[in-house]
PDB file of all heavy atoms in Angstrom:
ATOM      1  N   TYR O  32      56.984  81.670 204.922  1.00 89.00           N
ATOM      2  CA  TYR O  32      57.868  82.141 203.830  1.00 89.00           C
ATOM      3  C   TYR O  32      58.454  83.499 204.353  1.00 89.00           C
ATOM      4  O   TYR O  32      57.735  84.231 204.975  1.00 89.00           O
ATOM      5  CB  TYR O  32      57.149  82.414 202.489  1.00 89.00           C
ATOM      6  CG  TYR O  32      56.542  81.253 201.892  1.00 89.00           C
ATOM      7  CD1 TYR O  32      55.375  81.347 201.026  1.00 89.00           C
ATOM      8  CD2 TYR O  32      57.075  79.915 202.026  1.00 89.00           C
ATOM      9  CE1 TYR O  32      54.977  80.171 200.424  1.00 89.00           C
ATOM     10  CE2 TYR O  32      56.547  78.861 201.380  1.00 89.00           C
ATOM     11  CZ  TYR O  32      55.460  79.017 200.623  1.00 89.00           C
ATOM     12  OH  TYR O  32      54.937  77.956 199.902  1.00 89.00           O
ATOM     13  N   PHE O  34      61.200  86.846 203.534  1.00 93.00           N
ATOM     14  CA  PHE O  34      61.667  87.690 202.527  1.00 93.00           C
ATOM     15  C   PHE O  34      62.447  88.954 203.102  1.00 93.00           C
ATOM     16  O   PHE O  34      62.164  89.255 204.120  1.00 93.00           O
ATOM     17  CB  PHE O  34      60.523  88.298 201.623  1.00 93.00           C
ATOM     18  CG  PHE O  34      59.615  87.334 201.156  1.00 93.00           C
ATOM     19  CD1 PHE O  34      58.490  86.754 201.949  1.00 93.00           C
ATOM     20  CD2 PHE O  34      59.658  86.777 199.802  1.00 93.00           C
ATOM     21  CE1 PHE O  34      57.590  85.889 201.452  1.00 93.00           C
ATOM     22  CE2 PHE O  34      58.628  85.933 199.307  1.00 93.00           C
ATOM     23  CZ  PHE O  34      57.684  85.421 200.155  1.00 93.00           C
ATOM     24  N   TYR O  36      63.577  92.648 201.476  1.00 96.00           N
ATOM     25  CA  TYR O  36      63.343  93.517 200.262  1.00 96.00           C
ATOM     26  C   TYR O  36      64.254  94.854 200.688  1.00 96.00           C
ATOM     27  O   TYR O  36      64.442  95.115 201.801  1.00 96.00           O
ATOM     28  CB  TYR O  36      61.905  94.093 200.207  1.00 96.00           C
ATOM     29  CG  TYR O  36      60.985  93.172 199.601  1.00 96.00           C
ATOM     30  CD1 TYR O  36      60.433  92.136 200.357  1.00 96.00           C
ATOM     31  CD2 TYR O  36      60.707  93.121 198.227  1.00 96.00           C
ATOM     32  CE1 TYR O  36      59.547  91.192 199.871  1.00 96.00           C
ATOM     33  CE2 TYR O  36      59.795  92.297 197.672  1.00 96.00           C
ATOM     34  CZ  TYR O  36      59.284  91.338 198.478  1.00 96.00           C
ATOM     35  OH  TYR O  36      58.328  90.363 197.921  1.00 96.00           O
ATOM     36  N   GLN O  38      65.034  98.940 199.498  1.00 92.00           N
ATOM     37  CA  GLN O  38      64.374 100.087 198.816  1.00 92.00           C
ATOM     38  C   GLN O  38      65.506 101.276 198.770  1.00 92.00           C
ATOM     39  O   GLN O  38      65.759 101.807 199.867  1.00 92.00           O
ATOM     40  CB  GLN O  38      63.092 100.584 199.603  1.00 92.00           C
ATOM     41  CG  GLN O  38      62.530 101.799 198.904  1.00 92.00           C
ATOM     42  CD  GLN O  38      61.294 102.226 199.659  1.00 92.00           C
ATOM     43  OE1 GLN O  38      61.166 102.204 200.874  1.00 92.00           O
ATOM     44  NE2 GLN O  38      60.172 102.711 198.880  1.00 92.00           N
ATOM     45  N   ASN O  41      64.230 106.951 196.723  1.00 79.00           N
ATOM     46  CA  ASN O  41      63.360 107.357 195.700  1.00 79.00           C
ATOM     47  C   ASN O  41      63.085 106.225 194.648  1.00 79.00           C
ATOM     48  O   ASN O  41      62.761 106.535 193.454  1.00 79.00           O
ATOM     49  CB  ASN O  41      63.966 108.580 194.940  1.00 79.00           C
ATOM     50  CG  ASN O  41      63.993 109.791 195.910  1.00 79.00           C
ATOM     51  OD1 ASN O  41      63.109 110.076 196.630  1.00 79.00           O
ATOM     52  ND2 ASN O  41      65.250 110.442 195.897  1.00 79.00           N
ATOM     53  N   GLY O  43      61.326 102.032 194.250  1.00 84.00           N
ATOM     54  CA  GLY O  43      60.346 100.993 194.705  1.00 84.00           C
ATOM     55  C   GLY O  43      61.178  99.873 195.377  1.00 84.00           C
ATOM     56  O   GLY O  43      62.474  99.983 195.516  1.00 84.00           O
ATOM     57  N   LEU O  44      60.443  99.054 195.883  1.00 91.00           N
ATOM     58  CA  LEU O  44      60.973  97.899 196.643  1.00 91.00           C
ATOM     59  C   LEU O  44      61.415  96.813 195.696  1.00 91.00           C
ATOM     60  O   LEU O  44      60.619  96.512 194.792  1.00 91.00           O
ATOM     61  CB  LEU O  44      59.964  97.329 197.718  1.00 91.00           C
ATOM     62  CG  LEU O  44      59.989  97.983 199.046  1.00 91.00           C
ATOM     63  CD1 LEU O  44      59.173  99.301 198.935  1.00 91.00           C
ATOM     64  CD2 LEU O  44      59.413  97.060 200.140  1.00 91.00           C
ATOM     65  N   LEU O  46      63.198  92.720 195.574  1.00 93.00           N
ATOM     66  CA  LEU O  46      63.438  91.487 196.392  1.00 93.00           C
ATOM     67  C   LEU O  46      64.963  91.288 196.390  1.00 93.00           C
ATOM     68  O   LEU O  46      65.549  91.331 195.394  1.00 93.00           O
ATOM     69  CB  LEU O  46      62.805  90.296 195.859  1.00 93.00           C
ATOM     70  CG  LEU O  46      63.016  88.999 196.665  1.00 93.00           C
ATOM     71  CD1 LEU O  46      62.080  89.096 197.792  1.00 93.00           C
ATOM     72  CD2 LEU O  46      62.561  87.822 195.768  1.00 93.00           C
ATOM     73  N   LYS O  49      64.731  85.388 199.260  1.00 92.00           N
ATOM     74  CA  LYS O  49      63.515  84.741 199.966  1.00 92.00           C
ATOM     75  C   LYS O  49      63.932  83.219 200.466  1.00 92.00           C
ATOM     76  O   LYS O  49      64.795  82.603 199.900  1.00 92.00           O
ATOM     77  CB  LYS O  49      62.441  84.771 199.107  1.00 92.00           C
ATOM     78  CG  LYS O  49      62.468  83.816 197.890  1.00 92.00           C
ATOM     79  CD  LYS O  49      61.264  83.772 197.019  1.00 92.00           C
ATOM     80  CE  LYS O  49      61.318  82.887 195.717  1.00 92.00           C
ATOM     81  NZ  LYS O  49      60.153  82.959 194.931  1.00 92.00           N
ATOM     82  N   THR O  51      61.792  79.759 201.207  1.00 87.00           N
ATOM     83  CA  THR O  51      60.486  79.002 201.195  1.00 87.00           C
ATOM     84  C   THR O  51      60.622  77.729 201.809  1.00 87.00           C
ATOM     85  O   THR O  51      60.058  77.393 202.880  1.00 87.00           O
ATOM     86  CB  THR O  51      59.963  78.990 199.802  1.00 87.00           C
ATOM     87  OG1 THR O  51      60.966  78.312 198.973  1.00 87.00           O
ATOM     88  CG2 THR O  51      59.605  80.246 199.229  1.00 87.00           C
ATOM     89  N   PHE O  90      63.724  95.851 204.406  1.00 95.00           N
ATOM     90  CA  PHE O  90      62.500  95.444 204.911  1.00 95.00           C
ATOM     91  C   PHE O  90      62.421  93.979 204.979  1.00 95.00           C
ATOM     92  O   PHE O  90      62.625  93.369 203.984  1.00 95.00           O
ATOM     93  CB  PHE O  90      61.182  95.980 204.186  1.00 95.00           C
ATOM     94  CG  PHE O  90      61.093  97.428 204.220  1.00 95.00           C
ATOM     95  CD1 PHE O  90      61.572  98.249 203.254  1.00 95.00           C
ATOM     96  CD2 PHE O  90      60.314  97.970 205.203  1.00 95.00           C
ATOM     97  CE1 PHE O  90      61.409  99.618 203.252  1.00 95.00           C
ATOM     98  CE2 PHE O  90      60.214  99.305 205.270  1.00 95.00           C
ATOM     99  CZ  PHE O  90      60.626 100.240 204.323  1.00 95.00           C
ATOM    100  N   SER O  94      55.249  85.694 205.316  1.00 84.00           N
ATOM    101  CA  SER O  94      53.796  85.360 204.794  1.00 84.00           C
ATOM    102  C   SER O  94      53.643  83.823 205.215  1.00 84.00           C
ATOM    103  O   SER O  94      54.469  83.122 205.352  1.00 84.00           O
ATOM    104  CB  SER O  94      53.712  85.559 203.359  1.00 84.00           C
ATOM    105  OG  SER O  94      54.383  84.454 202.635  1.00 84.00           O
ATOM    106  N   HIS O  96      51.312  80.459 203.645  1.00 72.00           N
ATOM    107  CA  HIS O  96      51.437  79.919 202.298  1.00 72.00           C
ATOM    108  C   HIS O  96      50.171  80.294 201.428  1.00 72.00           C
ATOM    109  O   HIS O  96      49.915  79.600 200.402  1.00 72.00           O
ATOM    110  CB  HIS O  96      51.549  78.371 202.446  1.00 72.00           C
ATOM    111  CG  HIS O  96      52.858  78.052 203.015  1.00 72.00           C
ATOM    112  ND1 HIS O  96      53.289  76.784 203.157  1.00 72.00           N
ATOM    113  CD2 HIS O  96      53.806  78.749 203.755  1.00 72.00           C
ATOM    114  CE1 HIS O  96      54.452  76.621 203.649  1.00 72.00           C
ATOM    115  NE2 HIS O  96      54.773  77.923 204.237  1.00 72.00           N
ATOM    116  N   THR O  97      49.311  81.174 201.942  1.00 72.00           N
ATOM    117  CA  THR O  97      48.257  81.564 201.164  1.00 72.00           C
ATOM    118  C   THR O  97      48.283  82.779 200.357  1.00 72.00           C
ATOM    119  O   THR O  97      47.427  83.100 199.554  1.00 72.00           O
ATOM    120  CB  THR O  97      46.936  81.631 202.133  1.00 72.00           C
ATOM    121  OG1 THR O  97      47.041  82.787 202.962  1.00 72.00           O
ATOM    122  CG2 THR O  97      46.825  80.431 202.986  1.00 72.00           C
ATOM    123  N   GLY O  98      49.199  83.636 200.790  1.00 66.00           N
ATOM    124  CA  GLY O  98      49.449  84.951 200.094  1.00 66.00           C
ATOM    125  C   GLY O  98      48.566  86.109 200.678  1.00 66.00           C
ATOM    126  O   GLY O  98      48.919  87.135 200.458  1.00 66.00           O
ATOM    127  N   ASN O  99      47.605  85.737 201.467  1.00 68.00           N
ATOM    128  CA  ASN O  99      46.844  86.874 202.047  1.00 68.00           C
ATOM    129  C   ASN O  99      47.200  87.353 203.393  1.00 68.00           C
ATOM    130  O   ASN O  99      46.671  88.204 204.002  1.00 68.00           O
ATOM    131  CB  ASN O  99      45.351  86.498 202.012  1.00 68.00           C
ATOM    132  CG  ASN O  99      45.003  85.377 203.016  1.00 68.00           C
ATOM    133  OD1 ASN O  99      45.862  84.601 203.314  1.00 68.00           O
ATOM    134  ND2 ASN O  99      43.725  85.205 203.403  1.00 68.00           N
ATOM    135  N   PHE O 101      50.559  88.706 204.496  1.00 78.00           N
ATOM    136  CA  PHE O 101      51.891  89.259 204.139  1.00 78.00           C
ATOM    137  C   PHE O 101      52.216  90.355 205.053  1.00 78.00           C
ATOM    138  O   PHE O 101      51.598  91.424 204.916  1.00 78.00           O
ATOM    139  CB  PHE O 101      51.984  89.574 202.620  1.00 78.00           C
ATOM    140  CG  PHE O 101      53.254  89.342 202.047  1.00 78.00           C
ATOM    141  CD1 PHE O 101      53.495  88.271 201.176  1.00 78.00           C
ATOM    142  CD2 PHE O 101      54.365  90.290 202.302  1.00 78.00           C
ATOM    143  CE1 PHE O 101      54.674  88.120 200.626  1.00 78.00           C
ATOM    144  CE2 PHE O 101      55.588  89.983 201.606  1.00 78.00           C
ATOM    145  CZ  PHE O 101      55.751  88.947 200.839  1.00 78.00           C
ATOM    146  N   PHE O 103      55.160  93.094 206.661  1.00 89.00           N
ATOM    147  CA  PHE O 103      56.366  93.679 206.558  1.00 89.00           C
ATOM    148  C   PHE O 103      56.834  94.262 207.987  1.00 89.00           C
ATOM    149  O   PHE O 103      55.987  94.780 208.755  1.00 89.00           O
ATOM    150  CB  PHE O 103      56.417  94.940 205.555  1.00 89.00           C
ATOM    151  CG  PHE O 103      56.456  94.424 204.149  1.00 89.00           C
ATOM    152  CD1 PHE O 103      55.272  94.079 203.539  1.00 89.00           C
ATOM    153  CD2 PHE O 103      57.680  94.420 203.459  1.00 89.00           C
ATOM    154  CE1 PHE O 103      55.226  93.670 202.177  1.00 89.00           C
ATOM    155  CE2 PHE O 103      57.655  94.029 202.127  1.00 89.00           C
ATOM    156  CZ  PHE O 103      56.546  93.650 201.523  1.00 89.00           C
ATOM    157  N   GLY O 104      58.191  94.241 208.177  1.00 91.00           N
ATOM    158  CA  GLY O 104      58.645  94.885 209.339  1.00 91.00           C
ATOM    159  C   GLY O 104      58.705  96.406 209.105  1.00 91.00           C
ATOM    160  O   GLY O 104      58.388  96.852 208.029  1.00 91.00           O
ATOM    161  N   THR O 105      59.032  97.165 210.114  1.00 90.00           N
ATOM    162  CA  THR O 105      59.112  98.671 209.939  1.00 90.00           C
ATOM    163  C   THR O 105      60.224  99.147 209.260  1.00 90.00           C
ATOM    164  O   THR O 105      60.378 100.386 208.972  1.00 90.00           O
ATOM    165  CB  THR O 105      58.961  99.301 211.384  1.00 90.00           C
ATOM    166  OG1 THR O 105      60.067  98.699 212.240  1.00 90.00           O
ATOM    167  CG2 THR O 105      57.643  98.999 211.905  1.00 90.00           C
TER     168      THR O 105
ATOM    169  N   TYR M  33      48.245  93.606 195.775  1.00 92.00           N
ATOM    170  CA  TYR M  33      48.294  94.261 197.058  1.00 92.00           C
ATOM    171  C   TYR M  33      48.406  95.773 196.929  1.00 92.00           C
ATOM    172  O   TYR M  33      49.131  96.314 196.112  1.00 92.00           O
ATOM    173  CB  TYR M  33      49.472  93.834 197.961  1.00 92.00           C
ATOM    174  CG  TYR M  33      49.576  92.348 198.043  1.00 92.00           C
ATOM    175  CD1 TYR M  33      50.103  91.475 197.013  1.00 92.00           C
ATOM    176  CD2 TYR M  33      49.321  91.556 199.255  1.00 92.00           C
ATOM    177  CE1 TYR M  33      50.303  90.127 197.077  1.00 92.00           C
ATOM    178  CE2 TYR M  33      49.479  90.230 199.390  1.00 92.00           C
ATOM    179  CZ  TYR M  33      49.829  89.497 198.390  1.00 92.00           C
ATOM    180  OH  TYR M  33      50.119  88.139 198.427  1.00 92.00           O
ATOM    181  N   TYR M  35      49.612  99.042 199.411  1.00 94.00           N
ATOM    182  CA  TYR M  35      50.259  99.461 200.611  1.00 94.00           C
ATOM    183  C   TYR M  35      50.399 101.016 200.615  1.00 94.00           C
ATOM    184  O   TYR M  35      50.273 101.594 199.597  1.00 94.00           O
ATOM    185  CB  TYR M  35      51.694  98.872 200.763  1.00 94.00           C
ATOM    186  CG  TYR M  35      51.817  97.382 200.906  1.00 94.00           C
ATOM    187  CD1 TYR M  35      51.998  96.655 199.705  1.00 94.00           C
ATOM    188  CD2 TYR M  35      51.736  96.691 202.125  1.00 94.00           C
ATOM    189  CE1 TYR M  35      52.120  95.307 199.727  1.00 94.00           C
ATOM    190  CE2 TYR M  35      51.849  95.287 202.188  1.00 94.00           C
ATOM    191  CZ  TYR M  35      52.075  94.625 201.027  1.00 94.00           C
ATOM    192  OH  TYR M  35      52.065  93.250 201.029  1.00 94.00           O
ATOM    193  N   GLN M  37      52.931 103.967 202.366  1.00 91.00           N
ATOM    194  CA  GLN M  37      54.167 104.135 202.978  1.00 91.00           C
ATOM    195  C   GLN M  37      54.324 105.692 203.235  1.00 91.00           C
ATOM    196  O   GLN M  37      54.375 106.527 202.390  1.00 91.00           O
ATOM    197  CB  GLN M  37      55.389 103.729 202.099  1.00 91.00           C
ATOM    198  CG  GLN M  37      56.721 103.807 202.841  1.00 91.00           C
ATOM    199  CD  GLN M  37      57.826 103.248 202.031  1.00 91.00           C
ATOM    200  OE1 GLN M  37      57.823 103.317 200.747  1.00 91.00           O
ATOM    201  NE2 GLN M  37      58.984 102.740 202.601  1.00 91.00           N
ATOM    202  N   GLN M  41      58.393 105.755 207.383  1.00 74.00           N
ATOM    203  CA  GLN M  41      57.521 104.661 207.964  1.00 74.00           C
ATOM    204  C   GLN M  41      57.716 103.398 207.163  1.00 74.00           C
ATOM    205  O   GLN M  41      58.150 103.417 205.987  1.00 74.00           O
ATOM    206  CB  GLN M  41      56.088 105.029 208.157  1.00 74.00           C
ATOM    207  CG  GLN M  41      55.953 106.173 208.922  1.00 74.00           C
ATOM    208  CD  GLN M  41      56.415 105.966 210.347  1.00 74.00           C
ATOM    209  OE1 GLN M  41      56.022 105.062 211.011  1.00 74.00           O
ATOM    210  NE2 GLN M  41      57.165 107.000 210.946  1.00 74.00           N
ATOM    211  N   GLY M  42      57.273 102.319 207.743  1.00 78.00           N
ATOM    212  CA  GLY M  42      57.231 101.121 206.990  1.00 78.00           C
ATOM    213  C   GLY M  42      55.974 100.954 206.126  1.00 78.00           C
ATOM    214  O   GLY M  42      55.362 101.995 205.835  1.00 78.00           O
ATOM    215  N   LEU M  43      55.783  99.749 205.621  1.00 86.00           N
ATOM    216  CA  LEU M  43      54.547  99.593 204.720  1.00 86.00           C
ATOM    217  C   LEU M  43      53.437  99.149 205.524  1.00 86.00           C
ATOM    218  O   LEU M  43      53.333  98.280 206.310  1.00 86.00           O
ATOM    219  CB  LEU M  43      54.951  98.466 203.806  1.00 86.00           C
ATOM    220  CG  LEU M  43      55.679  98.902 202.435  1.00 86.00           C
ATOM    221  CD1 LEU M  43      57.137  99.167 202.918  1.00 86.00           C
ATOM    222  CD2 LEU M  43      55.722  97.745 201.425  1.00 86.00           C
ATOM    223  N   TYR M  48      44.035  93.512 199.684  1.00 89.00           N
ATOM    224  CA  TYR M  48      44.555  92.488 198.945  1.00 89.00           C
ATOM    225  C   TYR M  48      43.548  91.770 198.105  1.00 89.00           C
ATOM    226  O   TYR M  48      42.390  91.450 198.569  1.00 89.00           O
ATOM    227  CB  TYR M  48      45.141  91.412 199.987  1.00 89.00           C
ATOM    228  CG  TYR M  48      45.396  89.940 199.522  1.00 89.00           C
ATOM    229  CD1 TYR M  48      46.424  89.781 198.514  1.00 89.00           C
ATOM    230  CD2 TYR M  48      44.602  88.888 199.908  1.00 89.00           C
ATOM    231  CE1 TYR M  48      46.709  88.457 198.165  1.00 89.00           C
ATOM    232  CE2 TYR M  48      44.902  87.657 199.452  1.00 89.00           C
ATOM    233  CZ  TYR M  48      45.914  87.409 198.550  1.00 89.00           C
ATOM    234  OH  TYR M  48      46.162  86.145 198.176  1.00 89.00           O
ATOM    235  N   GLN M  50      42.891  88.547 195.431  1.00 85.00           N
ATOM    236  CA  GLN M  50      43.364  87.114 195.061  1.00 85.00           C
ATOM    237  C   GLN M  50      42.355  86.554 194.067  1.00 85.00           C
ATOM    238  O   GLN M  50      41.299  86.111 194.497  1.00 85.00           O
ATOM    239  CB  GLN M  50      43.572  86.295 196.114  1.00 85.00           C
ATOM    240  CG  GLN M  50      43.857  84.818 195.758  1.00 85.00           C
ATOM    241  CD  GLN M  50      45.188  84.611 194.989  1.00 85.00           C
ATOM    242  OE1 GLN M  50      45.219  85.016 193.769  1.00 85.00           O
ATOM    243  NE2 GLN M  50      46.331  84.169 195.610  1.00 85.00           N
ATOM    244  N   ASP M  56      40.411  91.277 200.618  1.00 85.00           N
ATOM    245  CA  ASP M  56      40.672  91.451 201.958  1.00 85.00           C
ATOM    246  C   ASP M  56      40.847  92.910 202.264  1.00 85.00           C
ATOM    247  O   ASP M  56      41.931  93.451 201.903  1.00 85.00           O
ATOM    248  CB  ASP M  56      41.897  90.680 202.395  1.00 85.00           C
ATOM    249  CG  ASP M  56      42.362  90.792 203.862  1.00 85.00           C
ATOM    250  OD1 ASP M  56      41.671  91.651 204.655  1.00 85.00           O
ATOM    251  OD2 ASP M  56      43.332  90.266 204.359  1.00 85.00           O
ATOM    252  N   LEU M  91      51.898 102.277 197.364  1.00 95.00           N
ATOM    253  CA  LEU M  91      52.613 101.173 196.541  1.00 95.00           C
ATOM    254  C   LEU M  91      51.671  99.999 196.156  1.00 95.00           C
ATOM    255  O   LEU M  91      50.728  99.606 196.974  1.00 95.00           O
ATOM    256  CB  LEU M  91      53.773 100.599 197.331  1.00 95.00           C
ATOM    257  CG  LEU M  91      54.930 101.595 197.658  1.00 95.00           C
ATOM    258  CD1 LEU M  91      55.794 101.059 198.751  1.00 95.00           C
ATOM    259  CD2 LEU M  91      55.664 101.848 196.488  1.00 95.00           C
ATOM    260  N   GLN M  99      55.120  81.261 193.022  1.00 70.00           N
ATOM    261  CA  GLN M  99      56.437  81.887 193.311  1.00 70.00           C
ATOM    262  C   GLN M  99      56.457  82.293 194.793  1.00 70.00           C
ATOM    263  O   GLN M  99      56.996  83.269 195.201  1.00 70.00           O
ATOM    264  CB  GLN M  99      56.723  83.180 192.485  1.00 70.00           C
ATOM    265  CG  GLN M  99      57.000  82.881 190.971  1.00 70.00           C
ATOM    266  CD  GLN M  99      57.229  84.082 190.124  1.00 70.00           C
ATOM    267  OE1 GLN M  99      56.684  85.080 190.356  1.00 70.00           O
ATOM    268  NE2 GLN M  99      58.067  83.999 189.109  1.00 70.00           N
ATOM    269  N   ALA M 100      55.728  81.506 195.561  1.00 68.00           N
ATOM    270  CA  ALA M 100      55.608  81.668 197.020  1.00 68.00           C
ATOM    271  C   ALA M 100      55.064  83.128 197.323  1.00 68.00           C
ATOM    272  O   ALA M 100      55.412  83.686 198.296  1.00 68.00           O
ATOM    273  CB  ALA M 100      56.850  81.477 197.726  1.00 68.00           C
ATOM    274  N   TYR M 101      54.356  83.720 196.368  1.00 76.00           N
ATOM    275  CA  TYR M 101      53.753  85.006 196.564  1.00 76.00           C
ATOM    276  C   TYR M 101      54.831  86.073 196.710  1.00 76.00           C
ATOM    277  O   TYR M 101      54.476  87.120 197.274  1.00 76.00           O
ATOM    278  CB  TYR M 101      52.756  84.986 197.750  1.00 76.00           C
ATOM    279  CG  TYR M 101      51.483  84.168 197.499  1.00 76.00           C
ATOM    280  CD1 TYR M 101      51.449  82.984 198.144  1.00 76.00           C
ATOM    281  CD2 TYR M 101      50.453  84.703 196.658  1.00 76.00           C
ATOM    282  CE1 TYR M 101      50.230  82.262 197.908  1.00 76.00           C
ATOM    283  CE2 TYR M 101      49.389  83.970 196.362  1.00 76.00           C
ATOM    284  CZ  TYR M 101      49.280  82.749 196.988  1.00 76.00           C
ATOM    285  OH  TYR M 101      48.146  82.045 196.777  1.00 76.00           O
ATOM    286  N   GLU M 102      56.003  85.852 196.170  1.00 85.00           N
ATOM    287  CA  GLU M 102      56.998  86.857 196.120  1.00 85.00           C
ATOM    288  C   GLU M 102      56.391  88.166 195.421  1.00 85.00           C
ATOM    289  O   GLU M 102      55.978  88.021 194.426  1.00 85.00           O
ATOM    290  CB  GLU M 102      58.199  86.399 195.326  1.00 85.00           C
ATOM    291  CG  GLU M 102      59.139  87.386 194.967  1.00 85.00           C
ATOM    292  CD  GLU M 102      60.244  86.906 193.988  1.00 85.00           C
ATOM    293  OE1 GLU M 102      60.425  85.595 194.030  1.00 85.00           O
ATOM    294  OE2 GLU M 102      60.747  87.581 193.238  1.00 85.00           O
ATOM    295  N   GLN M 103      56.451  89.182 196.080  1.00 88.00           N
ATOM    296  CA  GLN M 103      55.913  90.510 195.668  1.00 88.00           C
ATOM    297  C   GLN M 103      56.726  91.285 194.820  1.00 88.00           C
ATOM    298  O   GLN M 103      57.919  91.555 195.122  1.00 88.00           O
ATOM    299  CB  GLN M 103      55.359  91.291 196.793  1.00 88.00           C
ATOM    300  CG  GLN M 103      54.382  90.490 197.542  1.00 88.00           C
ATOM    301  CD  GLN M 103      53.574  91.253 198.574  1.00 88.00           C
ATOM    302  OE1 GLN M 103      53.573  92.494 198.541  1.00 88.00           O
ATOM    303  NE2 GLN M 103      52.821  90.743 199.353  1.00 88.00           N
ATOM    304  N   PHE M 105      56.973  94.934 193.270  1.00 93.00           N
ATOM    305  CA  PHE M 105      56.367  96.230 193.385  1.00 93.00           C
ATOM    306  C   PHE M 105      56.501  97.279 192.332  1.00 93.00           C
ATOM    307  O   PHE M 105      57.407  97.247 191.527  1.00 93.00           O
ATOM    308  CB  PHE M 105      57.176  96.912 194.600  1.00 93.00           C
ATOM    309  CG  PHE M 105      56.783  96.362 196.043  1.00 93.00           C
ATOM    310  CD1 PHE M 105      57.360  95.101 196.444  1.00 93.00           C
ATOM    311  CD2 PHE M 105      55.736  96.959 196.726  1.00 93.00           C
ATOM    312  CE1 PHE M 105      56.984  94.574 197.714  1.00 93.00           C
ATOM    313  CE2 PHE M 105      55.395  96.519 198.062  1.00 93.00           C
ATOM    314  CZ  PHE M 105      55.986  95.230 198.418  1.00 93.00           C
ATOM    315  N   GLY M 106      55.531  98.102 192.274  1.00 94.00           N
ATOM    316  CA  GLY M 106      55.492  99.116 191.398  1.00 94.00           C
ATOM    317  C   GLY M 106      56.323 100.305 191.908  1.00 94.00           C
ATOM    318  O   GLY M 106      56.687 100.269 193.056  1.00 94.00           O
ATOM    319  N   PRO M 107      56.538 101.380 191.119  1.00 92.00           N
ATOM    320  CA  PRO M 107      57.334 102.505 191.597  1.00 92.00           C
ATOM    321  C   PRO M 107      56.595 103.275 192.610  1.00 92.00           C
ATOM    322  O   PRO M 107      57.192 104.281 193.315  1.00 92.00           O
ATOM    323  CB  PRO M 107      57.635 103.270 190.328  1.00 92.00           C
ATOM    324  CG  PRO M 107      56.426 102.951 189.462  1.00 92.00           C
ATOM    325  CD  PRO M 107      56.197 101.454 189.753  1.00 92.00           C
ATOM    326  N   ARG M 110      53.141 109.050 194.605  1.00 95.00           N
ATOM    327  CA  ARG M 110      53.341 109.896 195.734  1.00 95.00           C
ATOM    328  C   ARG M 110      52.111 110.896 195.751  1.00 95.00           C
ATOM    329  O   ARG M 110      51.915 111.731 194.827  1.00 95.00           O
ATOM    330  CB  ARG M 110      54.679 110.669 195.535  1.00 95.00           C
ATOM    331  CG  ARG M 110      54.900 111.703 196.834  1.00 95.00           C
ATOM    332  CD  ARG M 110      56.280 112.358 196.640  1.00 95.00           C
ATOM    333  NE  ARG M 110      57.411 111.405 196.630  1.00 95.00           N
ATOM    334  CZ  ARG M 110      57.879 110.850 197.766  1.00 95.00           C
ATOM    335  NH1 ARG M 110      57.389 111.202 198.900  1.00 95.00           N
ATOM    336  NH2 ARG M 110      58.791 109.941 197.656  1.00 95.00           N
TER     337      ARG M 110
END
Side-chain angles (χ1 to χ4, degrees):
Chain O
Y32 292 154
F34 308 81
Y36 286 83
Q38 186 177 30
N41 301 312
L44 278 78
L46 183 74
K49 68 179 179 185
T51 55
F90 294 94
S94 77
H96 296 192
T97 69
N99 67 338
F101 209 105
F103 283 84
T105 52
Chain M
Y33 308 75
Y35 297 90
Q37 186 176 30
Q41 301 297 311
L43 277 71
Y48 163 70
Q50 171 62 286
D56 177 358
L91 294 168
Q99 292 181 326
Y101 294 104
E102 168 190 332
Q103 299 196 11
F105 282 84
R110 182 175 299 278

